Amino acid sequence: GEGAARKIAGGGVMLTVSLGFTRAERSSLRGRLADEGTGAPEAEDVVVVSPDWTEGEVTAELTAGVRLRGRPSMVGENECVLASDLSPDGARALRRAWLAGLPDARICYRVRALAGKRRTGGGEREGGRRGAGHRVRFAYAAGEACPWNLQLAGPPALSEEELRAGLTVVRLE
């Protein structure tokens, strides 16, 4: 129990989330792209870049009563810092959930990015006057950026060690 000596009067929560690859995921992706004929001889030569983010919102539901919202950075891994004050009941519920590993927590990114489409083509045309005609062969490649809407949701990817290190209880007397 929390007894009289441990009465929680309220609290605060601050959570930083990002939408990016872990080192292991990035390494695996680079290796797979190199293996699939991208023209890169080694995985180290493959560069994975972040999309051109244009809109975004992040929601983190840590417990049934603790929901945080914010706008991501819109660059790189689209990091977002979420913070809120907590009522005494909210602080107690979050502490219990945190110590249990945040079993029901979900993070949701709703984002829009620009993605490229590439079109190629070509052909052959004839023209000119009789006897002085010409034939032209041509090829083209065109790129076009179009909006790409994503909604990505799942549990926070935190190890037990990260959870333990992330909880700080401050006693004010």
Side-chain angles (χ1 to χ4, degrees):
E2 291 177 1
R6 205 163 209 201
K7 183 177 180 187
I8 295 178
V13 61
M14 185 167 64
L15 182 69
T16 302
V17 296
S18 65
L19 186 60
F21 295 114
T22 64
R23 284 186 186 160
E25 289 168 336
R26 186 175 294 275
S27 177
S28 173
L29 178 60
R30 287 171 55 186
R32 290 182 69 193
L33 289 171
D35 290 344
E36 291 180 11
T38 60
E42 301 292 331
E44 292 79 28
D45 295 332
V46 175
V47 177
V48 178
V49 297
S50 295
D52 184 8
W53 305 108
T54 60
E55 294 178 35
E57 178 185 61
V58 179
T59 304
E61 189 162 350
L62 302 178
T63 68
V66 179
R67 175 177 254 187
L68 311 170
R69 283 202 145 126
R71 179 170 154 68
S73 65
M74 307 304 288
V75 295
E77 293 188 348
N78 223 348
E79 193 170 86
C80 186
V81 177
L82 304 167
S84 180
D85 292 332
L86 298 170
S87 68
D89 289 339
R92 277 189 287 277
L94 181 57
R95 183 174 184 271
R96 281 191 301 272
W98 199 281
L99 292 172
L102 293 172
D104 300 321
R106 297 203 38 90
I107 311 271
C108 180
Y109 267 83
R110 286 180 189 84
V111 292
R112 176 179 278 196
L114 292 179
K117 284 186 178 178
R118 185 170 181 204
R119 292 182 293 172
T120 59
E124 188 174 306
R125 305 272 163 134
E126 292 185 29
R129 292 182 271 150
R130 278 197 183 148
H134 61 274
R135 183 178 298 211
V136 176
R137 290 185 184 156
F138 63 94
Y140 69 87
E144 171 186 359
C146 46
W148 188 40
N149 295 309
L150 294 170
Q151 180 171 324
L152 307 162
L158 296 169
S159 67
E160 285 184 42
E161 183 179 317
E162 289 169 317
L163 278 167
R164 274 194 305 274
L167 179 64
T168 303
V169 176
V170 178
R171 293 183 189 165
L172 302 174
E173 297 181 35

